[in-house]
Amino acid sequence: MNVPSSPTAVRNATLRRAAVAVGVGVLGAVYLWHTDPHEPGQLLLPCPFRWATGLLCPACGGTRMAYDLMHGDLVTAFHDNAVLLVLGVPAAAYMTGRWLYAGLRGRRFRARLGARGNAVVLGIAAVWMLVRNLTG
């Protein structure tokens, strides 16, 4: 991958990547707005982990959560995937904000988790998966 070196090149690359991400996100949101994932028979990608094992993965319910958030139903979104809503959405927003802030200032930003951070994320995901599958 070509890594820009000058601050102007980093800024321009950040703007291009952000524009593509926003465009793809808007297209996905428009499709999801009109496609209720709570109803069976919708054309949505199934979770491969659930398909293979029959168990809920830590991210299962994320599509339904996004649909519910777009329609202003915070309670149902929380029910769809509480940990993803409470921890995942703010973490993604923070990392995206850090990337944009650094990129628009002409600096590269690489998100990195150390061993402890990876252990925390994987631990939360494992506990959440167990809780979801044992409690129903």
Side-chain angles (χ1 to χ4, degrees), residues 76-95:
T76 305
F78 185 83
H79 181 266
D80 292 332
N81 194 323
V83 169
L84 191 59
L85 180 63
V86 172
L87 298 177
V89 171
Y94 173 76
M95 296 308 282

Side-chain angles (χ1 to χ4, degrees), residues 1-4 17:
M1 184 171 178
N2 188 9
V3 178
R17 291 173 184 151

Side-chain angles (χ1 to χ4, degrees), residues 14-122:
T14 299
L15 288 170
R16 277 193 308 275
R17 291 173 184 151
V20 169
V22 167
V24 170
V26 166
L27 288 174
V30 167
Y31 178 75
L32 187 58
W33 178 268
H34 299 289
T35 306
D36 187 351
H38 295 284
E39 298 294 323
Q42 302 295 332
L43 184 58
L44 295 166
L45 295 174
C47 173
F49 184 81
R50 187 165 189 190
W51 174 81
T53 66
L55 299 172
L56 296 170
C57 79
C60 277
T63 303
R64 292 187 307 273
M65 181 190 75
Y67 175 86
D68 294 331
L69 286 175
M70 287 192 303
H71 288 83
D73 191 352
L74 188 61
V75 173
T76 305
F78 185 83
H79 181 266
D80 292 332
N81 194 323
V83 169
L84 191 59
L85 180 63
V86 172
L87 298 177
V89 171
Y94 173 76
M95 296 308 282
T96 302
R98 291 279 314 265
W99 170 73
L100 278 173
Y101 180 76
L104 294 177
R105 296 190 63 173
R107 298 182 180 139
R108 282 184 258 156
F109 174 73
R110 291 189 184 113
R112 293 190 180 132
L113 278 179
R116 217 177 276 152
N118 282 324
V120 167
V121 170
L122 290 173

